[in-house]
Amino acid sequence: MTDFASVILAGERDDRDALRDETGVACKALLDIGGTPMIRRVIDALRSAQSIGTIHLSGPTEACVQSDAGLAGLVARKEVAWVASGPSPSTSAHQMLSRFPASQPVMITTADHPLLTGEIVDHFCRGAAKSGCDVVIGLAPYDLVRATYPELKKTVLRFRDGGYCGCNLFGFLTEDGRRVADFWRQVEKDRKKPLVVIRLLGLWSLLSYRMGWLTLDKALARLSRRVGVRIGVVILPYAHASVDVDSVSDYVLVQQYSAEGRGGA
């Protein structure tokens, strides 16, 4: 199996954050989920994955790292490599990708992914390595997510052949693929607005999307031409792959899912 370097984006988006205010934690990455800080759940998933060779952390602040003994220990023992984050997730991703040799495949995820497992990571990395693409994005079928977590509010990409939810899993397989990080910076502020992102592909793509004519394959082909790299997807058969913590309501639900043992549903 191909060894991927892994990156966890764990920087803070804003000076004020409702989740931090509600829970009193120093940074969002340290939110407690089932007795374990969220970021350490992500690290544990990566450590258990056969496809991951190294683990790199972009953020949180050094003070936040040191405030959690478990996380500080992982960094001190060099089991996890830590660097300060950039001003935004896309900038952090761009900076982190530049740290690796051009031939090194890199998988990027986020610290607010508390139900991630090694099984999900390996499924994604196997699919990415076989795709023949420069960049691969993880998606989960919306029908599966809705059936498993009906209370969860998710942004849905709706295509003629079905709806999909993002999974905060991105594979960069080639040097060319790293150019997508620049495109990411263009669309980052509108990441929750599918219509704005689709508009970047052109008026016909926007019309096709609005009318329900655009298939996922056609969208990928047009996006690949727009960016100038081969972009693919891995469809993940795990509803919990799409669960992240963006709000207080998400946090309450994820705590509930963890207590009920629904994380591996």
Side-chain angles (χ1 to χ4, degrees), residues 4-263:
F4 282 71
S6 64
V7 171
I8 306 171
L9 302 180
E12 300 288 308
R13 282 187 179 273
D14 303 300
D15 292 336
R16 293 297 304 275
D17 183 274
L19 276 164
R20 294 201 305 269
D21 294 344
E22 177 77 15
T23 60
V25 294
C27 59
K28 178 182 171 183
L30 295 181
L31 283 170
D32 181 279
I33 304 289
T36 303
M38 188 159 57
I39 192 168
R40 282 205 274 127
R41 294 174 69 102
V42 177
I43 291 171
D44 288 346
L46 295 175
R47 293 177 77 188
S48 70
Q50 297 178 11
S51 51
I52 298 300
T54 57
I55 302 173
H56 304 259
L57 191 56
S58 174
T61 64
E62 188 171 7
C64 283
V65 171
Q66 294 303 319
S67 71
D68 180 76
L71 182 58
L74 290 168
V75 172
R77 294 190 300 272
K78 301 188 185 304
E79 295 176 43
V80 174
W82 173 86
V83 298
S85 64
S88 71
S90 61
T91 302
S92 296
H94 188 269
Q95 292 173 350
M96 294 301 292
L97 287 169
S98 69
R99 299 172 66 90
F100 300 104
S103 60
Q104 173 64 60
V106 181
M107 191 209 76
I108 294 181
T109 189
T110 57
D112 62 343
H113 208 330
L115 303 186
L116 187 67
T117 65
E119 181 181 355
I120 293 172
V121 172
D122 284 335
H123 188 109
F124 174 77
C125 289
R126 280 195 301 268
K130 294 176 182 177
S131 69
C133 293
D134 299 299
V135 177
V136 175
I137 302 164
L139 298 175
Y142 174 58
D143 287 347
L144 174 64
V145 175
R146 181 179 57 185
T148 309
Y149 303 112
E151 315 97 323
L152 195 68
K153 294 181 179 178
K154 293 292 297 181
T155 300
V156 184
L157 296 166
R158 299 183 186 277
F159 298 100
R160 191 177 75 192
D161 44 350
Y164 298 92
C165 298
C167 295
N168 286 350
L169 291 170
F170 309 92
F172 294 83
L173 286 302
T174 67
E175 184 176 15
D176 284 344
R178 298 182 184 187
R179 295 204 304 269
V180 171
D182 289 326
F183 182 77
W184 186 358
R185 286 192 282 190
Q186 295 178 45
V187 303
E188 182 171 44
K189 68 181 185 300
D190 295 313
R191 69 194 189 284
K192 299 293 186 182
K193 302 174 184 176
L195 287 177
V196 176
V197 178
I198 293 294
R199 188 180 295 130
L200 290 172
L201 305 184
L203 181 60
W204 177 247
S205 293
L206 176 62
L207 177 62
S208 297
Y209 183 81
R210 289 296 299 266
M211 299 299 292
W213 300 336
L214 189 64
T215 65
L216 176 58
D217 284 346
K218 286 184 178 179
L220 289 169
R222 291 175 187 178
L223 183 59
S224 296
R225 288 196 296 270
R226 169 73 171 79
V227 184
V229 299
R230 297 163 297 172
I231 300 175
V233 297
V234 172
I235 305 300
L236 295 161
Y238 310 95
H240 53 297
S242 73
V243 177
D244 56 12
V245 179
D246 275 339
S247 66
V248 174
S249 61
D250 288 345
Y251 178 59
V252 171
L253 286 171
V254 170
Q255 287 280 45
Q256 177 184 328
Y257 299 152
S258 177
E260 293 174 355
R262 281 205 276 167

